[in-house]
Amino acid sequence: MSMIRKSGNRFSDKIMLKSMSSSMRIAILSLASVLMIASGTSLLAAGSEPDFKAAYAAAEAANKEAGVLRNQWTTTAATLTAAKKAAESGDFDKAVALSKEAEALAQASIFQAKSEKEAWKALEIR
């Protein structure tokens, strides 16, 4: 879903782009940065069962916080499930990486909820 409606008119599209506040652009860039960092750290993750348990607990805590903000992402739940399955099969390296990815997704959803709490006002027609 795009935040900018397509009107077919290049002039009105440019006006709509200009009306998007700088705080909204910063929020979008920050969210993208968090997701890029998450994908990079998942490649570096290596672990054992205690590492998995710690990473999984951190991801669950972040996901619960996102739930309190009523902004849990379905991709976070799917990644947590995949992490648990990897741990059950004994692949702790993959389980730790997936847990860290799930935590990053949950943190991104928390960031989104907090930033959009006020940012939507910038997109309102005045």
Side-chain angles (χ1 to χ4, degrees), residues 3-120:
M3 292 187 308
I4 301 170
R5 288 182 291 147
K6 296 279 183 180
S7 67
N9 181 343
R10 289 179 58 193
F11 180 72
S12 63
D13 288 347
K14 286 181 181 181
I15 291 172
M16 292 177 91
L17 283 172
K18 286 181 181 181
S19 69
M20 186 183 293
S21 71
S22 63
S23 63
M24 180 61 96
R25 286 187 210 127
I26 291 170
I28 291 168
L29 289 174
S30 298
L31 183 61
S33 298
V34 166
L35 292 174
M36 286 174 49
I37 290 168
S39 64
T41 57
S42 65
L43 295 174
L44 301 174
S48 60
E49 187 172 4
D51 294 334
F52 162 71
K53 287 182 179 180
Y56 192 83
E60 276 193 322
N63 196 36
K64 284 181 184 176
E65 185 180 345
V68 169
L69 296 171
R70 301 179 69 184
N71 196 39
Q72 284 179 311
W73 291 354
T74 56
T75 53
T76 306
T79 307
L80 281 170
T81 301
K84 191 174 246 184
K85 285 182 182 177
E88 288 171 355
S89 69
D91 189 355
F92 291 109
D93 290 342
K94 184 176 180 181
V96 169
L98 288 168
S99 296
K100 289 184 179 190
E101 182 180 343
E103 182 183 9
L105 288 167
Q107 292 294 342
S109 68
I110 291 165
F111 176 81
Q112 179 188 36
K114 290 179 178 179
S115 65
E116 287 185 3
K117 192 173 187 178
E118 295 296 321
W120 68 271

